[in-house]
Amino acid sequence: MDAKIAASKSVPADQTYIDPAIRQLNNERNHARKMYQRTRNPEFNRLAGKLNKKIIKLNEKIENSLTNKLVNVTTEDGTLWDFVRPFKQKFKNISALNGPASIALTDKDKANCLASSLEKQFQLNDTHDTATELLVKNSVEGFRPSNKFNFNNITPPHEIRNCITKLKTNKAPGNDKINNKMLKCCPDNCVYHLTLIIYKIMTIGHFPTKWKTATVIPILKPGKDPTQPTSYRPISLLSSISKIAEHIILDRLKSHLEKNHILCPEQFGFRKNLSTTHQLIRVVEIIEEAFNAKQKTGAVFLDIQKAFDRVWQDALIHKLINYNTPNYITKIIQNYLMNRNFMVKVNNEFSDLKQINAGVAQGSKLGPILFSLFINDIPKQHNTMVCMYADDIAILAKHKNPNFIHVALTKHLQTLEAWFRKWKIELNVSKTESIMFSKCRNNSKFRPPKINNKSIEWSQKCKYLGVILDRKLTWKPHFTHIKNKFRELTRKFFPLISRNSKMSRENKILIYASYLRPVLTSACPVWGYAPNYILKILATQQNIIIRNICNAKFYMKNRDIYRALDFPTFNSFITKIATNFFKNLDDHDNLAIQNITKYTPDPKIKRPRNILL
C-alpha cells in the first residue's frame, strides 16, 4: 500500500528549499502520524504533536534570523552585496556524463571525461591550403629575432604597482592559488622582484612554463543536455601574476597597433570606447536608411566554429611579423602560445593534464586582441558592409532589387569561403543565419544567399550581439525576449524585493537598479526609437517591480510613486542614456562610426536618433 502511495505522488520540477533540520523533523513527524493511524497508539500521537511544536519554533527562529539579516544589511560595509550575490549565481552541480566508453559518475571521472572532450576542441581544423601552409612555415622558421631589447620599454615598478591596484579582488586564482587580494597586499620589495621577472621575460622572450597551465571550470550552456560533455563551456582560470605580465605585453602591443592603425575599423571587439551597442547602431542605421529609401537590406550572420579555440598559431605569428610588430613582442607571443596545457576541475577533483594544440588562451588578456589580429585581413567588398565584434561577423547589402542583394552577398561569401579555407577557419553553416529586412509580406520569393554550396534560407528574425532583429524591425520579438529574461531573473531576487520582504526600500531599489534594470535597458540607444506601445512592454515590467518594492495600493498612480521616490521612469532613463551615447558618437574617432550617415531627428522618419525628440 505504501509503495503504491509513494509511486503515485508527482514530483515537482522545482522543489522549494527547506532547511535540513526542518526536513528531518518533518519526516519524523509524518512517520509518527502514519504509525498512529495504523496502530492507534496514543504515544505516537503525542510524539507527532511534540515534533510539530519543534518545527514551528525552529521555523520562527529561521524566519527571524532571515528578517534580521534583511533589516541590517547595508552598502557601507558591503554586507548587502555579499547577501545578494548568491541569489544570482547560475552554477549547478555536474550530473553523470556519457563518456566514450562508460558513464562518468565520480568527480574524478567527470573531470577526465570533460578534459578529453576539450582536448579535441583545442585542435586545428582539418582544412588545407598548400601554398599558405608553405608560406607560413617559411615565415615562422625564418623568424630569427635578435636579443636586442629597446631599453626605453623597460617596465618601471610603479607601472606594475598601478596594474596590481586595478585588479579586481573577486576574481578566482589560478593553479598557483595566489589571488588578487594577496597581490594587492604585496610590499614594495615583492613588486620590485616581479618587475625583474617581467624584465627578464621581455629580454629573453620566454614566458614562464608554470604560467601556461589553466584550471578549467566547466559551466553548463543554457538549454543543453547536462549528460553530454560537449554541453559545457570551459571557463579558464590563469595565474594572477601571469595576467600582470600579459597586461604589460598587451600595453606595448596595443601601442604599436594604434600608432600604425593596423586593426580594421570594422572590428569593435575588445577595443577602447567601442561596445556592442556601437556595432548594433551601424547595423540598424543602414537598415532604417534603406527602409526610408524604399530599399531592402540583406544580412548574413556568420557563426565561426570554435573561433578562439582553433586559431592557427603559426599563421598568427606570420601575421604579427607582416604587421611589423616589434621583434621582442612577437618572440614573447610565440613562446606564450607554445606548450600550453590545462586541467579540468570538478568540485575538488582535477583531471589529468591535457595539451592545447591550437587557439589563443581562454581567460587571458592577450587572447581577444590576438584573435582580432588573426581575422584582421578578412576580405571586404565595395557593395557590402562588414560588421565585426570579435568572432560575431555580419555581412550586409542593400538595394531596391533583391537579386542585386543576392548576388552581392553570395559573391562576398564565396570570397570568404576561400579565405576561411586558407587560414584553417571553419564555419558552422547550420548556425549561420540570413535575413532580408523588407516591408514585403513574404520573403520566401527572394533568392537566398549560398555558402559552401548550401542555401541559407531567409529567417523571420535573427539574434546578433544579444539583440533580436526581426525582418520589419518592429522590435516586438526582442522586447518579448527581454521581458521573459527579466521576469526569470526577477524570480531569483523575489525573496528580497517582494512586498512582504523586510529589507529597506532603499536597498530594494538599489538591487533593482544594479541587477535587474540593466537587463531591460541593454542596448537601449539602438531600439529606443520604437513606438510607445512597443516600449510599454518593458516599461510595464519596471512599473510592476517598483510597485512591489513600495507595496503600492491599486489606487496609487505610477507617476506619483516615481515622483515620491525621486526615481526615473523607464522612458526618461533610456532617453538619458541615448542622449549621452549619441553625443559621444558624434565625436568618435573610429572611421566606421564616422561613416554612419549624419541626420537631424525627424518624427516623420523612423531612425534611432528619434529617441532624442
Side-chain angles (χ1 to χ4, degrees):
M1 185 66 180
D2 290 341
K4 184 179 179 182
I5 293 170
S8 62
K9 288 182 179 178
S10 61
V11 180
D14 296 319
Q15 294 185 353
T16 307
Y17 172 78
I18 300 174
D19 187 82
I22 294 179
R23 192 186 294 273
Q24 178 66 25
L25 289 173
N26 275 337
N27 292 338
E28 292 176 8
R29 180 197 61 188
N30 294 341
H31 179 70
R33 283 178 176 172
K34 285 181 181 179
M35 293 304 295
Y36 171 70
Q37 290 171 358
R38 288 178 182 176
T39 63
R40 291 297 171 182
N41 187 338
E43 191 64 33
F44 288 115
N45 194 25
R46 283 193 292 270
L47 178 61
K50 288 179 182 179
L51 290 171
N52 198 46
K53 288 179 181 179
K54 281 186 180 181
I55 291 170
I56 293 170
K57 286 182 180 179
L58 184 58
N59 196 31
E60 288 177 353
K61 185 179 178 181
I62 292 171
E63 285 183 359
N64 290 335
S65 174
L66 179 62
T67 301
N68 290 334
K69 286 182 180 179
L70 289 173
V71 171
N72 295 324
V73 291
T74 60
T75 54
E76 285 81 5
D77 56 1
T79 53
L80 174 64
W81 309 120
D82 292 338
F83 188 75
V84 171
R85 196 170 293 118
F87 285 84
K88 66 168 186 171
Q89 288 181 351
K90 298 179 180 178
F91 181 76
K92 295 180 180 178
N93 289 331
I94 296 174
S95 63
L97 297 172
N98 294 327
S102 61
I103 297 175
L105 297 174
T106 65
D107 289 341
K108 183 72 174 178
D109 290 341
K110 291 175 187 176
N112 282 319
C113 181
L114 289 164
S116 300
S117 174
L118 288 174
E119 189 179 26
K120 296 176 184 176
Q121 185 172 313
F122 299 128
Q123 302 288 341
L124 271 178
N125 289 314
D126 189 21
T127 57
H128 300 283
D129 185 89
T130 308
T132 306
E133 289 174 1
L134 183 62
L135 176 67
V136 168
K137 182 180 178 182
N138 293 336
S139 176
V140 173
E141 289 180 353
F143 177 62
R144 296 285 184 270
S146 64
N147 288 327
K148 293 181 180 179
F149 179 68
N150 187 354
F151 286 87
N152 294 327
N153 289 323
I154 291 179
T155 307
H158 69 81
E159 187 178 357
I160 303 294
R161 175 60 77 183
N162 291 338
C163 184
I164 292 173
T165 304
K166 294 176 182 177
L167 293 174
K168 296 180 180 179
T169 54
N170 60 348
K171 295 294 182 180
N175 198 31
D176 55 10
K177 307 298 182 186
I178 299 174
N179 58 35
N180 292 344
K181 193 172 183 179
M182 294 165 65
L183 289 174
K184 288 194 171 190
C185 297
C186 283
D188 289 340
N189 62 333
C190 288
V191 176
Y192 174 73
H193 287 297
L194 184 56
T195 306
L196 289 179
I197 292 171
I198 293 175
Y199 170 73
K200 290 295 182 183
I201 291 172
M202 294 287 194
T203 52
I204 299 172
H206 175 77
F207 202 82
T209 307
K210 288 287 185 182
W211 292 354
K212 295 181 182 181
T213 302
T215 302
V216 173
I217 308 296
I219 303 294
L220 182 65
K221 298 175 184 176
K224 296 292 184 179
D225 183 3
T227 62
Q228 297 299 324
T230 54
S231 299
Y232 291 84
R233 180 179 288 111
I235 305 297
S236 298
L237 304 179
L238 298 171
S239 167
S240 297
I241 302 177
S242 75
K243 289 186 180 180
I244 296 173
E246 286 184 48
H247 182 84
I248 302 302
I249 299 166
L250 181 63
D251 275 354
R252 280 134 182 84
L253 178 59
K254 277 187 174 180
S255 176
H256 168 72
L257 298 178
E258 290 172 3
K259 183 179 178 182
N260 296 281
H261 306 288
I262 291 173
L263 285 176
C264 64
E266 292 83 7
Q267 174 61 272
F268 286 17
F270 309 104
R271 297 181 68 178
K272 190 177 179 181
N273 298 328
L274 288 171
S275 65
T276 55
T277 308
H278 289 87
Q279 193 63 275
L280 284 165
I281 207 73
R282 286 186 69 217
V283 173
V284 173
E285 286 285 10
I286 192 173
I287 296 168
E288 290 290 4
E289 186 179 7
F291 279 160
N292 292 325
K294 296 184 178 180
Q295 294 180 335
K296 301 171 182 63
T297 305
V300 179
F301 301 98
L302 303 175
D303 184 89
I304 299 177
Q305 192 173 20
K306 309 296 181 187
F308 284 79
D309 300 334
R310 295 185 176 176
V311 169
W312 185 10
Q313 294 175 350
D314 286 347
L316 175 59
I317 299 302
H318 163 72
K319 292 187 178 185
L320 285 172
I321 295 168
N322 285 348
Y323 290 139
N324 295 322
T325 307
N327 285 345
Y328 77 95
I329 293 179
T330 306
K331 186 179 179 182
I332 293 168
I333 292 174
Q334 185 179 25
N335 186 269
Y336 169 83
L337 294 172
M338 288 170 53
N339 302 322
R340 298 195 72 90
N341 45 52
F342 71 96
M343 52 186 175
V344 176
K345 181 181 179 183
V346 177
N347 294 331
N348 293 321
E349 294 291 339
F350 290 88
S351 70
D352 301 329
L353 209 61
K354 300 289 185 179
Q355 284 292 121
I356 297 175
N357 298 319
V360 292
Q362 283 201 1
S364 65
K365 288 184 174 290
L366 282 170
I369 194 70
L370 292 179
F371 179 81
S372 296
L373 283 168
F374 184 64
I375 63 168
N376 191 54
D377 57 338
I378 189 169
K380 303 171 193 173
Q381 285 189 180
H382 69 281
N383 55 357
T384 58
M385 185 176 84
V386 178
C387 301
M388 292 191 291
Y389 193 92
D391 61 326
D392 289 311
I393 303 173
I395 312 295
L396 291 91
K398 65 174 184 176
H399 202 269
K400 285 185 178 181
N401 188 346
N403 292 328
F404 177 89
I405 295 173
H406 166 80
V407 171
L409 289 177
T410 301
K411 186 178 179 182
H412 197 162
L413 290 173
Q414 288 173 351
T415 309
L416 286 174
E417 281 180 46
W419 185 82
F420 286 146
R421 196 180 308 110
K422 181 179 179 182
W423 299 110
K424 297 184 184 295
I425 300 172
E426 267 192 18
L427 275 182
N428 192 339
V429 180
S430 62
K431 291 185 178 179
T432 296
E433 294 182 294
S434 68
I435 183 170
M436 178 72 82
F437 296 99
S438 164
K439 297 295 184 180
C440 296
R441 292 185 179 181
N442 188 10
N443 279 346
S444 60
K445 59 184 179 181
F446 304 136
R447 284 195 298 164
K450 287 186 177 182
I451 190 165
N452 293 340
N453 294 323
K454 292 181 181 178
S455 294
I456 310 169
E457 298 299 329
W458 299 116
S459 303
Q460 295 297 312
K461 57 185 179 181
C462 291
K463 192 173 185 179
Y464 182 60
L465 300 179
V467 173
I468 297 175
L469 306 169
D470 60 288
R471 67 183 189 88
K472 292 187 178 181
L473 226 54
T474 63
W475 298 109
K476 191 170 182 179
H478 175 66
F479 286 5
T480 304
H481 168 72
I482 292 297
K483 172 188 169 182
N484 295 334
K485 183 179 177 181
F486 175 79
R487 294 184 72 171
E488 184 180 348
L489 185 61
T490 302
R491 290 187 196 104
K492 296 181 180 180
F493 290 99
F494 189 75
L496 303 180
I497 61 174
S498 64
R499 290 176 181 268
N500 299 326
S501 171
K502 301 300 181 183
M503 182 175 281
S504 67
R505 183 184 298 167
E506 290 75 14
N507 286 341
K508 288 181 183 180
I509 291 176
L510 193 57
I511 290 170
Y512 168 73
S514 302
Y515 291 105
L516 299 175
R517 186 169 63 182
V519 176
L520 290 179
T521 59
S522 176
C524 60
V526 177
W527 47 256
Y529 68 100
N532 285 331
Y533 74 93
I534 300 289
L535 286 173
K536 194 175 179 181
I537 295 173
L538 300 183
T540 302
Q541 300 307 308
Q542 173 168 303
N543 294 340
I544 292 170
I545 293 297
I546 294 298
R547 293 184 73 88
N548 275 332
I549 288 173
C550 300
N551 196 14
K553 305 301 179 184
F554 71 92
Y555 51 81
M556 295 180 180
K557 294 183 178 180
N558 289 332
R559 64 170 179 268
D560 295 334
I561 296 172
Y562 282 111
R563 191 181 298 115
L565 292 174
D566 193 22
F567 194 76
T569 62
F570 179 77
N571 285 12
S572 62
F573 185 74
I574 65 171
T575 302
K576 182 180 178 181
I577 292 176
T579 302
N580 294 331
F581 175 82
F582 285 114
K583 182 179 178 182
N584 296 329
L585 194 72
D586 293 334
D587 302 327
H588 212 287
D589 58 354
N590 182 274
L591 187 61
I593 289 179
Q594 290 176 2
N595 289 335
I596 297 175
T597 307
K598 303 291 190 299
Y599 61 92
T600 304
D602 186 349
K604 295 180 181 179
I605 300 175
K606 189 181 175 186
R607 296 291 289 272
R609 287 181 187 259
N610 283 11
I611 191 177
L612 305 177
L613 293 173

